[in-house]
Amino acid sequence: MFEADLTGNLYKLWNRLSSGSYFPPPVKQVEIPKKNGGVRILGVPTVADRIAQQIVVARIGSDLYGVFHPDSHGYQLNKSAADAVANTRKRCWEYDWLVEFDICRAFDELDWGLLRKAIAKHVKDPWCLLYIERWLTAPAVSPDGQPVQRTRGVPQGNFPSRHTMKLIAGHRDELIEDLPLLCFSAPVATL
């Protein structure tokens, strides 16, 4: 348990991260049932890996947050769920129609080449790029304990998925996931 030796474990993590010798362990895949059938695979990192991810997020935050749309609230500095609800309420008074959509398997099928281009455009810190690449290519462990070597996609639920999907969406409108679209009229909403 990480907390049992918190100081020692944080020191080991800091030492490995700062020296460039940290390699993320395989991400544990967990199946979450979908309401319409099927399952969504979430990637669950270890406690140490989650702390390491948050360190990189803090370091690259200023590089990325200016890229996202002003109405984007997920994983943004100084923006909360309450801000998102208030913004949506405001937009509902401005527009007559709402269209919501979800890109099927967006996290599972994300092309690494496209992702690497978007990351390289906005993240300049070589140390952060090193760890983002390691998280991107880290293997996974299936729910039945079998190793899974990944070649595309990002584990939904950890650093690469939270920030890089939004980064890609900023460059490729067709990849935006769960985006409500507010329209002035019914004909526009049915396009």
Side-chain angles (χ1 to χ4, degrees):
M1 190 165 168
F2 193 86
E3 198 172 314
D5 183 19
L6 185 61
T7 302
N9 286 328
L10 287 173
Y11 176 77
K12 280 191 285 188
L13 181 61
W14 167 80
N15 193 353
R16 290 177 183 152
L17 282 169
S18 62
S19 69
S21 64
Y22 178 76
F23 284 87
V27 175
K28 180 180 179 182
Q29 293 180 333
V30 177
E31 294 179 344
I32 306 297
K34 292 183 176 183
K35 59 184 168 189
N36 62 346
V39 294
R40 170 170 284 140
I41 302 291
L42 296 184
V44 179
T46 64
V47 172
D49 201 36
R50 182 65 182 91
I51 292 168
Q53 292 171 11
Q54 195 57 43
I55 290 167
V56 172
V57 167
R59 192 157 170 158
I60 66 173
S62 59
D63 295 336
L64 291 184
Y65 295 122
V67 174
F68 300 141
H69 190 279
D71 285 351
S72 175
H73 288 76
Y75 309 106
Q76 293 270 42
L77 293 174
N78 303 318
K79 290 189 177 185
S80 67
D83 295 331
V85 170
N87 194 42
T88 301
R89 182 178 294 130
K90 177 184 166 201
R91 295 288 184 253
C92 287
W93 288 106
E94 295 172 359
Y95 300 96
D96 296 323
W97 294 88
L98 170 72
V99 177
E100 187 175 90
F101 56 92
D102 184 10
I103 308 292
C104 181
R105 300 181 50 83
F107 288 99
D108 301 331
E109 300 298 326
L110 185 62
D111 178 85
W112 285 358
L114 179 63
L115 181 57
R116 286 179 175 119
K117 285 180 190 175
I119 290 169
K121 180 175 181 178
H122 298 288
V123 177
K124 301 304 179 199
D125 184 327
W127 181 85
C128 292
L129 290 170
L130 170 74
Y131 287 113
I132 292 170
E133 179 67 21
R134 287 182 183 172
W135 280 308
L136 181 63
T137 59
V141 176
S142 69
D144 63 357
Q146 297 301 312
V148 177
Q149 193 60 42
R150 301 175 316 100
T151 58
R152 64 183 312 117
V154 291
Q156 188 173 352
N158 67 10
F159 165 75
S161 67
R162 293 192 312 268
H163 290 65
T164 55
M165 184 57 76
K166 287 180 65 172
L167 186 58
I168 291 291
H171 293 280
R172 303 270 308 251
D173 292 339
E174 68 270 17
L175 290 177
I176 298 174
E177 182 161 353
D178 295 326
L179 175 76
L181 176 65
L182 297 161
C183 306
F184 288 109
S185 65
V188 172
T190 58
L191 291 177

